[in-house]
Amino acid sequence: MNPRPVAAAGLLGAFTDAEVLEAADFHVARRLTALAGDTDESVALAVAFVVRALRAGSVCVDLSSIAEAVAMPELPWPSPESWLAAVRASPLAGAPPVLRLLSHDAGELLYLDRYWLEEQQVCDDVLALLSSTPPGDTLPGLERLFPAGWEEQRAAAEVALTQSLTVLTGGPGTGKTTTVARLLALLAEQAALAGRPPLRIALAAPTGKAAARLLEAVQLEVDQLDRGDRDRLPQLRSSTLHRLLRPRPDSSSRFRHHRENRLPHDVIVVDETSMVSLTLMARLLETVRPESRLLLVGDADQLASVEAGAVLADLVDGLGDRADVRVAALQTSHRFGESIGALASAIRDGDADRVLDLLAAGGENIDWLDSDAPGDRLRKVLLPHALRLREAAILGDGEAALATLGEHRLLCAHRRGPYGVHHWNRQIERWLTDVTGEPIWTDWYAGRPVLVTANDYGLGLYNGDTGVTVVRGSGLCAVVGSGSGPLEFTTGRLPEVDTLHAMTIHKSQGSQCDEITVLLPQEQSRLLTRELFYTAVTRAKKRVRVVGSESAIREAISRRVVRASGLAHRLR
């Protein structure tokens, strides 16, 4: 329960007692209004809601609609008109401003100054890049690199050739990486024919695992090109966005590369852009030279950044409404069986009846466990997989263990509780003990699947890498999968790992598995959303199993992740 702050009274006290606000919201609001000498309780309440919005991933709050969104009419809500008037008259909205208002179609959005400025900067930098003229002209190589049957990818490449900034969107398996690799080859050909130096290319993503997967997938596609195309491309490397921008030791949000020290690259590709926050996007855009190309790649329907902002979705919405800009969108998925693709599309479109029909029909690619207590039925799925992992690990066969790990993954919305990762990791370990008669006394045991939770560039490990503990001689070692092949480490060198019989859906972004089991929480869970469900289902390559009641499924599809933002409005 949210503890009541000391001296919580008045409007702030009422909303804190109702658990609409948390102690952090209360204290920030009290502190800022006290520093400004503002005694108006409605202003303090507005500040508290802005802080609350940031915690939930929004960058601003619409005071005119917040009462409807909270759905607690019994609370003493100020009228929207008087509330906005109080904010406008507050010293906090003076000079220098702490609060900022942005007018939009239905009213006004309230920001803290930092996020108002970052959103305006992102808008300005995006439009500045779009107004610059990219070097080179369309080449005959377009037809060669994007032959018949690749019409969607060719159209996306044509868009990218005409714009210095391109947003490339599409669901899993629609050919985004293929488009990126062949577009890079086309741009390298342009540069060579124009007599320019070889392209300087940066591949980046928000997480180390996503960056490693981007490089692996792009390099795999490049290796299939003609020798001339391969030779024109430089050796490709990837990094996290933070590493690309070079962090400063004295700041968590500023970097060595900035507007006065821009990145040297001619082409910058950012994958998994849906996971990029507003602040990180602002830091990236200010480092891009006007004559460079920026390609932002991702799936706007997936879960957004853990931090504030939904930049990719805002770019798609805002730029998509402009007549002078094109968003490159790929629609056709080549990864899934037809039924999984149809299920993902129905979830994305919010068609609950269609989703339930597909789940009920089942088939080779889809299974539905309509249950709130699936323990016994899940045991038949999860225990055999854990036993196969253990068998490969005891035999010391690291490659077989990694292959087995990639066969199945249990995805949960929560970390804790009966529907959480911790509970199911422990449950599977208890089942293993019951079957094998060998209690698990320590964290490290043969067949333990592990998830790396921090980047270690020295070891070549990234947050999101997965592996298995296998027997080596009289001891154990961890075999971790990587793009260059399995890596082996003594268990003592891997302190920052979690057990991976189950993982959160958030952590699964950017990865795939042959078979996915999605454990939906009960409908009361605040994490249960359409974006969460879509992200989970689209992790499956061959088969998806949905565990949850009809009411939980309907609730997930009806509930969208709505992040308040003015970026799309500014871009329009």
Side-chain angles (χ1 to χ4, degrees):
M1 181 178 290
N2 183 28
R4 176 184 171 87
V6 176
L11 277 179
L12 281 180
F15 282 81
T16 304
D17 286 346
E19 298 187 358
V20 173
L21 300 175
E22 293 190 358
D25 312 327
F26 175 92
H27 289 302
V28 171
R30 271 291 173 88
R31 182 62 174 162
L32 287 178
T33 51
L35 288 172
D38 193 329
T39 59
D40 192 320
E41 289 188 352
S42 68
V43 174
L45 185 63
V47 174
F49 270 110
V50 173
V51 177
R52 175 183 182 266
L54 288 168
R55 288 192 297 100
S58 293
V59 296
C60 56
V61 65
D62 187 343
L63 296 182
S64 64
S65 63
I66 188 66
E68 181 181 354
V70 172
M72 295 182 70
E74 68 275 13
L75 290 173
W77 295 95
S79 70
E81 295 78 10
S82 63
W83 207 356
L84 282 169
V87 169
R88 290 192 197 98
S90 171
L92 290 172
V98 176
L99 299 177
R100 296 260 201 165
L101 285 165
L102 173 71
S103 297
H104 68 111
D105 299 337
E108 292 184 275
L109 302 174
L110 181 64
Y111 296 75
L112 292 180
D113 179 61
R114 167 188 165 181
Y115 294 95
W116 189 94
L117 291 172
E118 286 182 342
E119 193 175 270
Q120 186 61 50
Q121 182 210 313
V122 167
C123 177
D124 291 343
D125 286 342
V126 164
L127 296 180
L129 272 174
L130 287 169
S131 66
S132 64
T133 303
D137 300 313
T138 303
L139 297 174
L142 187 64
E143 298 290 336
R144 175 175 54 79
L145 287 164
F146 296 91
W150 299 51
E151 283 76 16
E152 281 190 358
Q153 290 80 7
R154 187 192 311 144
E158 288 174 341
V159 170
L161 285 170
T162 61
Q163 300 176 176
S164 291
L165 182 147
T166 302
V167 178
L168 174 62
T169 68
T174 53
K176 296 190 296 293
T177 304
T178 297
T179 304
V180 168
R182 291 176 177 264
L183 177 61
L184 292 178
L186 185 60
L187 294 174
E189 183 180 12
Q190 277 189 334
L193 292 178
R196 296 193 301 270
L199 291 180
R200 293 165 294 180
I201 298 172
L203 304 179
T207 68
K209 177 63 173 177
R213 286 192 64 257
L214 171 63
L215 176 60
E216 180 183 355
V218 170
Q219 190 63 57
L220 188 65
E221 187 65 33
V222 167
D223 290 343
Q224 299 178 32
L225 298 177
D226 295 340
R227 180 170 182 174
D229 292 314
R230 296 198 307 270
D231 290 346
R232 280 189 289 267
L233 285 168
Q235 182 178 354
L236 298 175
R237 295 182 175 85
S238 67
S239 71
T240 64
L241 276 172
H242 282 79
R243 198 178 190 198
L244 177 69
L245 300 177
R246 298 180 61 201
R248 279 171 35 181
D250 61 332
S251 175
S252 60
S253 60
R254 293 288 175 176
F255 299 88
R256 296 185 189 275
H257 284 292
H258 46 75
R259 203 171 295 278
E260 305 305 321
N261 181 30
R262 305 210 182 202
L263 290 168
H265 305 93
D266 303 300
V267 183
I268 302 167
V269 179
V270 179
D271 197 16
E272 300 291 349
T273 308
S274 64
M275 300 167 64
V276 178
S277 67
L278 175 67
T279 297
L280 188 55
M281 183 59 73
R283 299 291 80 79
L284 169 65
L285 286 168
E286 69 186 11
T287 69
V288 180
R289 293 177 299 133
E291 64 273 21
S292 298
R293 293 178 183 269
L294 177 62
L295 184 60
L296 301 176
V297 186
D299 184 350
D301 295 305
Q302 285 192 37
L303 289 165
S305 164
V306 174
E307 299 176 42
V311 180
L312 181 61
D314 286 338
L315 289 172
V316 172
D317 289 345
L319 298 179
D321 287 341
R322 295 177 63 100
D324 57 339
V325 178
R326 289 188 291 169
V327 172
L330 302 176
Q331 305 289 342
T332 306
S333 177
H334 307 282
R335 174 184 301 167
F336 306 121
E338 181 179 346
S339 54
I340 296 180
L343 178 62
S345 297
I347 295 171
R348 184 189 60 217
D349 296 340
D351 189 342
D353 291 337
R354 174 67 172 154
V355 169
L356 289 166
D357 287 344
L358 288 166
L359 290 174
E364 181 181 351
N365 304 111
I366 294 177
D367 188 19
W368 179 22
L369 303 184
D370 183 3
S371 173
D372 285 327
D376 290 340
R377 297 174 72 181
L378 277 183
R379 187 180 192 274
K380 297 176 182 178
V381 175
L382 304 178
L383 179 57
H385 182 250
L387 288 170
R388 292 196 303 274
L389 274 177
R390 181 177 180 273
E391 180 182 7
I394 290 174
L395 293 173
D397 192 338
E399 291 192 8
L402 289 176
T404 302
L405 182 62
E407 291 174 0
H408 181 268
R409 191 71 40 81
L410 172 63
L411 301 182
C412 306
H414 293 267
R415 291 186 61 82
R416 302 187 183 278
Y419 297 89
V421 167
H422 289 179
H423 169 81
W424 284 96
N425 277 327
R426 289 194 302 269
Q427 180 61 64
I428 293 168
E429 289 174 344
R430 284 193 291 266
W431 287 336
L432 281 171
T433 295
D434 291 342
V435 170
T436 64
E438 297 180 10
I440 296 173
W441 300 109
T442 66
D443 287 339
W444 293 101
Y445 55 88
R448 179 196 181 193
V450 293
L451 172 71
V452 177
T453 58
N455 296 331
D456 189 322
Y457 295 106
L459 295 179
L461 294 177
Y462 303 99
N463 183 7
D465 280 343
T466 58
V468 184
T469 307
V470 303
V471 174
R472 281 287 181 268
S474 59
L476 297 172
C477 79
V479 180
V480 181
S482 75
S484 58
L487 303 174
E488 293 194 10
F489 304 94
T490 60
T491 56
R493 297 184 71 188
L494 300 176
E496 296 188 70
V497 297
D498 287 339
T499 301
L500 187 61
H501 292 296
M503 74 185 303
T504 63
I505 297 170
H506 274 87
K507 282 279 189 181
S508 75
Q509 281 186 273
S511 65
Q512 296 91 38
C513 227
D514 289 343
E515 182 177 332
I516 290 292
T517 296
V518 183
L519 180 59
L520 296 178
Q522 291 181 315
E523 56 264 33
Q524 296 86 355
S525 170
R526 291 185 296 178
L527 296 182
L528 189 62
T529 63
R530 187 188 305 178
E531 290 79 2
L532 184 96
F533 194 12
Y534 173 83
T535 300
V537 165
T538 53
R539 300 310 92 201
K541 293 180 181 179
K542 300 177 181 178
R543 183 175 178 81
V544 64
R545 179 180 297 101
V546 175
V547 182
S549 64
E550 177 179 339
S551 58
I553 291 168
R554 288 190 178 277
E555 184 65 25
I557 293 168
S558 67
R559 190 186 299 166
R560 299 296 307 271
V561 175
V562 179
R563 292 195 166 187
S565 164
L567 180 57
H569 170 75
R570 295 183 200 241
L571 288 168
R572 294 188 191 104

